[in-house]
Amino acid sequence: MANVYLIPCTLGDSSLEVLSPQIKATILSLSYFIVENEKSARRFIKQVAPEKEQSTLHIAVIDKHNAAADVSTLLQPCSEEHSVGIISEAGCPGVADPGAEVVRLAHQRGLRVIPLVGPSSILLALMASGMSGQHFAFNGYLPIDKSERKRTFKALERKAHEGQTQVCIETPYRNEKLLTDMLGTLQPSTLVCVALDITLPTEEIYTLPVSQWRKKALNLQKRPAIFIIGK
């Protein structure tokens, strides 16, 4: 019976030491992969398993542009008894990642889904924030419209004060704007964590009340970041 493996990758150009040895063994055993970006996936496979012949790889791409009909064909190798590996663009497949659609389809077809251990920026940031990990919500990307974003921040802050930690992300080149809007909207006592470049040598993670954040200088531009609101 064919399996569907969820293969984590590094967060940016961090060391391969953050990955389980099981990941290399799995990659060596597979020929079929579903990825977000073929070029970066091939580079990752070459880094992890340089002895793997690139010419033997069969790579299908899934991203936000795939229609439902396209997704339904991605697991075709499994019907021919070929196991498939799903590789995200960064971190863990299926978490803030289009691979979740393929995983849902795999369950519908009765395939065995096997998640492998690897870095999740969302969980690593939450672990390091000092905020509640018992009850939290991941909100993905927030609205771009300023008034709608302000309403969203207020709603997230209410939930955070009720005990549900709120996690969100932003496109790296808009990090500065998001933090500025966040600090201009939230109450001075509300806690905010900013986690930058997780697992990289340049990693920085800070949790401060809004009142202190307003005095702190931090370069967020074009750096992968996780933002957390809590109490």
Side-chain angles (χ1 to χ4, degrees):
M1 178 178 175
N3 300 321
V4 175
Y5 292 91
L6 306 183
I7 303 173
C9 61
T10 55
L11 301 171
D13 293 324
S14 58
S15 169
L16 294 178
E17 292 177 356
V18 301
L19 301 176
S20 161
Q22 185 184 14
I23 291 176
K24 178 175 181 176
T26 301
I27 287 175
L28 287 173
S29 72
L30 299 175
S31 296
Y32 292 84
F33 296 88
I34 300 169
V35 307
E36 278 192 87
N37 181 284
E38 181 171 355
K39 183 177 179 180
S40 59
R42 284 185 178 274
R43 183 170 63 247
F44 171 69
I45 291 170
K46 187 174 182 178
Q47 288 174 333
V48 174
E51 61 269 51
K52 184 81 174 178
E53 289 289 342
Q54 290 279 320
S55 60
T56 67
L57 303 179
H58 302 271
I59 294 181
V61 175
I62 181 172
D63 57 28
K64 62 184 179 180
H65 304 296
N66 286 83
D70 297 330
V71 174
S72 67
T73 66
L74 295 176
L75 292 176
Q76 180 59 33
C78 294
S79 64
E80 300 166 3
E81 300 300 317
H82 296 292
S83 291
V84 170
I86 300 177
I87 301 177
S88 179
E89 188 63 9
C92 296
V95 180
D97 171 75
E101 297 179 52
V102 184
V103 174
R104 185 185 307 115
L105 182 61
H107 285 297
Q108 291 173 357
R109 295 186 178 181
L111 298 171
R112 184 184 178 196
V113 176
I114 303 176
L116 304 183
V117 175
S120 164
S121 59
I122 298 166
L123 290 180
L124 291 172
L126 183 61
M127 289 163 59
S129 71
M131 301 181 196
S132 174
Q134 298 292 328
H135 190 38
F136 67 93
F138 175 63
N139 299 278
Y141 294 94
L142 302 188
I144 297 177
D145 178 78
K146 190 168 185 177
S147 59
E148 189 177 354
R149 176 177 280 192
K150 184 176 181 178
R151 288 193 297 271
T152 300
F153 280 142
K154 285 294 187 182
L156 297 182
E157 184 177 49
R158 284 193 296 271
K159 293 177 181 178
H161 287 182
E162 292 168 359
Q164 185 187 60
T165 303
Q166 302 297 310
V167 185
C168 64
I169 56 177
E170 182 54 286
T171 302
Y173 69 86
R174 288 203 293 256
N175 283 340
E176 298 275 7
K177 184 70 168 65
L178 182 137
L179 185 60
T180 298
D181 290 346
M182 183 182 289
L183 299 182
T185 304
L186 302 181
Q187 299 175 29
S189 61
T190 296
L191 288 179
V192 170
C193 174
V194 178
L196 299 166
D197 295 338
I198 292 178
T199 74
L200 300 177
T202 53
E203 177 182 278
E204 294 183 85
I205 303 174
Y206 304 99
T207 296
L208 299 168
V210 168
S211 59
Q212 292 185 33
W213 269 113
R214 291 170 180 165
K215 305 171 187 176
K216 185 172 181 61
L218 184 64
N219 176 23
L220 287 78
Q221 197 67 6
K222 296 183 179 179
R223 300 173 70 185
I226 302 288
F227 300 88
I228 306 178
I229 302 171
K231 68 171 186 175

